[in-house]
């Protein structure tokens, strides 16, 4: 069988690896995807990592829909791009190839208005059904003040209220003893504002439809009206429990775009702070998951040491949950006096609490009864649905970007990648506890090796001027005013960078038109893929096990909805 024709484009670099980019015609898309998944070209791309689009209205017109594939077996990435002259032509759905394409295609439909023929359920996913327009189009206003005054006539009000009516989901031929149960959106076990529409037969879940978007704040649209530097604080609020771990893939994508070299001292500081953020995220998850299962102890123990961790983060960065500390080219400021004296006791406190964490959770017979064999899946299922992080590693695959695609010098640190083979909620809990221990090891090594030197790149075209120097000469002061106000123009092109965030692989795809404002920023978060799996993972399970199952996946709604 002849392979469908594709056009290769200039490759990108992803964490020192080449990201191959190919352009494919719409009528050949599915054939290409099938062959890439089967590995007929010698490399098997097992995972559909992302699908999204770019509105090219400012770059000649039309749309570009891109498919990001990952080969776990060959450790390679591939992005396919499909050009559309306008929105009149629909693309074929990729759901027969990867079922995980379902939500990604719905998102493209919702935010861009592009259609996918054959999609099993093409409807809005982040925005309400009554929303008008598609926000990620360039023609859509980026500010609320650019919209006309809001009015709600009585007939429009009745139309909106009709969308909230509970429909009879029974259809011909199905049993009469089935009913619909709404779980959330205001529910302590859904880790945010999430509605789960469960179709029940007695206590058994027949189907589950997650209704997301309640937390959607348009982070990708916001990027299109901020300078590259000014957008950094918005990154913290993606997975708002991970702090600077959200900033890292964004600033590294921009640095890759501009060819910026980051000083070694700043690189080590980034590793130290990112691992502290990983510990913080895992502590909050463990506390929340214990609460989900009716165990109050983990919340008190985890939040107690988390406050000590926050004290250190505040000392170093000035912030606790949302430091906005990383900069394009380095970090905002150097380590303060006394940082080591504050860091070491905090690390000791967390390390000393690990036995208590285990006693309250994974070693607790009641906790074991709720989590062993709960939410169990295979490695093949995890890859098919785009799982990353501990949710993938619990199936036995040691895929961690810090090891498989090292960045920030992670290859020079001595640490292990914990794995399990059970693929259940108990294994996922155990892995996150073990990952805290490994992150403590990395933080201690980073503190020991922190070299002398600057903490911000001296490439003046892309870096902020030091404030202390603005008081010494007028040229530096002018550069400071221009950089912080109007922004700095970055090279035209695009770049993608992905890091191992606490919940899995988080990637930022940045498109530049040469101005001081990103043309497009795509944020691929791990929670989106993980929550989509609830549609099949919960099927056939018992209602009483649902919260234990979904809580073990470690998702946060800001990370899901972006």
């Amino acid at each position: 069988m002849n392979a469908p024709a594709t056009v290769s484009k200039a490759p990108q670099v992803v964490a020192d690896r080449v990201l191959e980019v190919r352009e494919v015609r719409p009528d050949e898309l599915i054939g290409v995807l099938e062959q890439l998944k089967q590995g007929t070209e010698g490399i098997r791309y097992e995972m559909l990592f992302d699908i999204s689009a770019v509105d090219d209205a400012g770059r000649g017109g039309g749309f570009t829909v891109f498919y990001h594939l990952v080969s776990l077996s060959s450790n390679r990435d591939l992005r396919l791009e499909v050009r559309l002259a306008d929105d009149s032509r629909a693309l074929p759905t990729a759901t027969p190839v990867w079922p995980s394409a379902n939500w990604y295609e719905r998102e493209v439909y919702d935010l861009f208005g592009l259609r996918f023929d054959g999609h099993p359920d093409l409807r809005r996913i982040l925005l309400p059904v009554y929303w008008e327009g598609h926000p990620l189009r360039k023609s859509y206003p980026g500010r609320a003040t650019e919209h006309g005054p809001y009015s709600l006539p009585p007939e429009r009000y009745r139309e909106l209220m009709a969308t909230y009516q509970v429909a009879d989901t029974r259809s011909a031929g199905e049993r009469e003893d089935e009913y619909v149960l709404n779980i959330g959106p205001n529910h302590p076990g859904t880790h945010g504002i999430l509605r789960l529409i469960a179709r029940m037969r007695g206590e058994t879940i027949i189907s589950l439809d997650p209704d997301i978007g309640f937390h959607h704040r348009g982070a990708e649209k916001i990027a299109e009206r901020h300078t590259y530097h000014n957008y950094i604080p918005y990154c913290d609020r993606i997975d708002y429990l991970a702090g600077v771990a959200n900033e890292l893939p964004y600033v590294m994508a921009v640095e890759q775009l501009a060819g910026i070299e980051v000083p070694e001292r700043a690189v080590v500081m980034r590793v130290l702070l990112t691992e502290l953020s990983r510990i913080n995220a895992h502590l909050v998850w463990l506390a929340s998951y214990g609460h989900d299962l009716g165990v109050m102890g983990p919340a008190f123990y985890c939040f107690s040491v988390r406050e000590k961790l926050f004290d250190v983060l505040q000392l170093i960065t000035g912030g606790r949950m949302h430091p906005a500390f990383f900069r394009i080219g380095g970090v905002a400021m150097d380590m303060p006096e006394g940082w080591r004296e504050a860091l070491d006791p905090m690390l000791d406190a967390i390390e000393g609490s690990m036995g208590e964490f285990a006693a309250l959770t994974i070693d607790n017979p009641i906790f074991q009864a709720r989590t062993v064999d709960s939410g169990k899946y295979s490695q093949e299922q995890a890859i098919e649905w785009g799982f990353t992080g501990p949710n993938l590693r619990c199936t036995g695959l040691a895929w961690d970007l810090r090891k498989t695609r090292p960045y920030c010098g992670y290859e020079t640190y001595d640490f292990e990648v914990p794995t399990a083979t059970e693929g259940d909620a108990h294994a996922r809990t155990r892995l996150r506890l073990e990952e805290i221990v490994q992150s403590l090891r990395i933080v201690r090594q980073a503190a020991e090796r922190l070299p002398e030197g600057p903490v911000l790149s001296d490439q003046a075209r892309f870096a902020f001027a030091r404030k202390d120097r603005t008081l010494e000469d007028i040229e530096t002061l002018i550069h400071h005013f221009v950089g912080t106000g109007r922004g700095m123009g970055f090279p035209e092109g695009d770049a993608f960078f992905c890091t191992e965030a606490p919940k899995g692989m988080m990637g930022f795809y940045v498109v530049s038109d040469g101005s001081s404002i990103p043309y497009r920023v795509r944020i691929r978060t791990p929670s989106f893929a993980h929550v989509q799996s609830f549609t099949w993972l919960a099927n056939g399970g018992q209602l009483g096990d649902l919260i234990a199952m979904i809580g073990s996946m470690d998702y946060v709604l800001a990370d899901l909805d972006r």
Side-chain angles (χ1 to χ4, degrees), residues 355 357-365 367-368 426:
F357 296 159
L360 290 166
T361 55
I362 58 175
D363 294 338
N364 184 318
F367 188 92
Q368 292 174 355
H426 189 268

Side-chain angles (χ1 to χ4, degrees), residues 164-227:
Y164 289 96
Q165 300 300 314
V166 177
D168 184 354
T169 59
R170 292 175 298 179
S171 56
E174 299 199 36
R175 292 171 47 165
E176 289 296 322
D177 59 349
E178 292 180 3
Y179 62 96
V180 173
L181 177 67
N182 275 295
I183 304 169
N186 298 308
H187 188 287
T190 55
H191 295 209
I193 312 173
L194 171 68
R195 176 189 178 208
L196 300 173
I197 306 169
R199 185 172 180 152
M200 308 292 301
R201 183 179 298 154
E203 290 291 311
T204 302
I205 300 171
I206 305 303
S207 66
L208 192 72
D209 181 18
D211 185 11
I212 70 174
F214 294 94
H215 207 101
H216 184 55
R217 295 162 296 168
E220 295 180 11
K221 185 69 172 183
I222 289 173
E224 298 176 13
R225 57 179 175 86
H226 280 277
T227 66

Side-chain angles (χ1 to χ4, degrees), residues 532-553:
Q532 181 179 196
S533 71
F534 297 174
T535 57
W536 58 269
L537 194 54
N539 287 357
Q542 297 298 296
L543 179 62
D545 296 329
L546 177 63
I547 299 301
M549 183 272 287
I550 65 174
S552 70
M553 300 297 283

Side-chain angles (χ1 to χ4, degrees), residues 146-429:
E146 298 174 43
H147 292 269
Y150 183 74
S151 63
L152 189 61
E155 62 275 10
R156 179 60 173 157
Y157 172 78
R158 287 191 293 271
E159 181 183 345
L160 297 186
M161 289 300 100
T163 64
Y164 289 96
Q165 300 300 314
V166 177
D168 184 354
T169 59
R170 292 175 298 179
S171 56
E174 299 199 36
R175 292 171 47 165
E176 289 296 322
D177 59 349
E178 292 180 3
Y179 62 96
V180 173
L181 177 67
N182 275 295
I183 304 169
N186 298 308
H187 188 287
T190 55
H191 295 209
I193 312 173
L194 171 68
R195 176 189 178 208
L196 300 173
I197 306 169
R199 185 172 180 152
M200 308 292 301
R201 183 179 298 154
E203 290 291 311
T204 302
I205 300 171
I206 305 303
S207 66
L208 192 72
D209 181 18
D211 185 11
I212 70 174
F214 294 94
H215 207 101
H216 184 55
R217 295 162 296 168
E220 295 180 11
K221 185 69 172 183
I222 289 173
E224 298 176 13
R225 57 179 175 86
H226 280 277
T227 66
Y228 285 87
H229 283 281
N230 289 350
Y231 184 66
I232 292 173
Y234 291 92
C235 298
D236 292 72
R237 291 155 176 84
I238 303 301
D239 174 3
Y240 54 79
L241 302 176
V244 295
N246 300 277
E247 302 171 25
L248 187 61
Y250 170 70
V251 297
M252 294 193 74
V254 178
E255 288 161 359
Q256 178 179 281
L257 177 70
I260 298 173
E261 294 290 334
V262 180
E264 184 60 27
R265 184 174 177 87
V267 172
V268 177
M269 287 180 63
R270 285 179 173 183
V271 170
L272 187 151
L273 292 170
T274 299
E275 293 305 318
L276 289 180
S277 295
R278 189 185 313 278
I279 295 170
N280 173 54
H282 284 347
L283 287 175
V284 178
W285 170 80
L286 187 65
S288 303
Y289 191 42
H291 182 266
D292 291 348
L293 301 182
V295 183
M296 291 301 297
F300 295 109
Y301 283 84
C302 292
F303 277 84
S304 176
V305 294
R306 180 180 180 240
E307 282 302 303
K308 295 181 174 65
L309 189 153
F310 267 170
D311 290 340
V312 173
L313 285 177
Q314 186 174 13
L315 174 67
I316 297 174
T317 69
R320 295 170 78 83
M321 284 191 69
H322 305 137
F325 186 71
F326 291 172
R327 295 292 181 269
I328 298 169
V331 296
M333 61 187 76
D334 208 342
M335 286 292 201
E337 291 186 10
W339 68 271
R340 190 65 189 271
E341 291 76 9
L343 177 69
D344 289 339
M346 180 271 292
L347 298 177
D348 293 339
I350 296 176
E351 194 167 42
S353 300
M354 295 306 299
E356 296 169 329
F357 296 159
L360 290 166
T361 55
I362 58 175
D363 294 338
N364 184 318
I366 299 176
F367 188 92
Q368 292 174 355
R370 295 292 306 277
T371 57
V372 172
D373 291 332
S374 175
K376 192 170 185 176
Y377 50 80
S378 67
Q379 186 177 119
E380 182 180 0
Q381 288 173 311
I383 295 172
E384 186 81 357
W385 286 86
F387 291 4
T388 55
N391 292 340
L392 174 60
R393 292 191 286 272
C394 74
T395 64
L397 184 61
W399 181 269
D400 185 318
L401 293 184
R402 296 172 298 172
K403 287 284 190 180
T404 56
R405 301 178 183 179
Y407 54 92
C408 290
Y410 269 109
E411 67 275 14
T412 65
Y413 291 85
D414 181 20
F415 69 100
E416 305 298 326
V417 177
T419 61
T421 57
E422 298 89 342
D424 61 7
H426 189 268
R428 292 189 282 277
T429 307

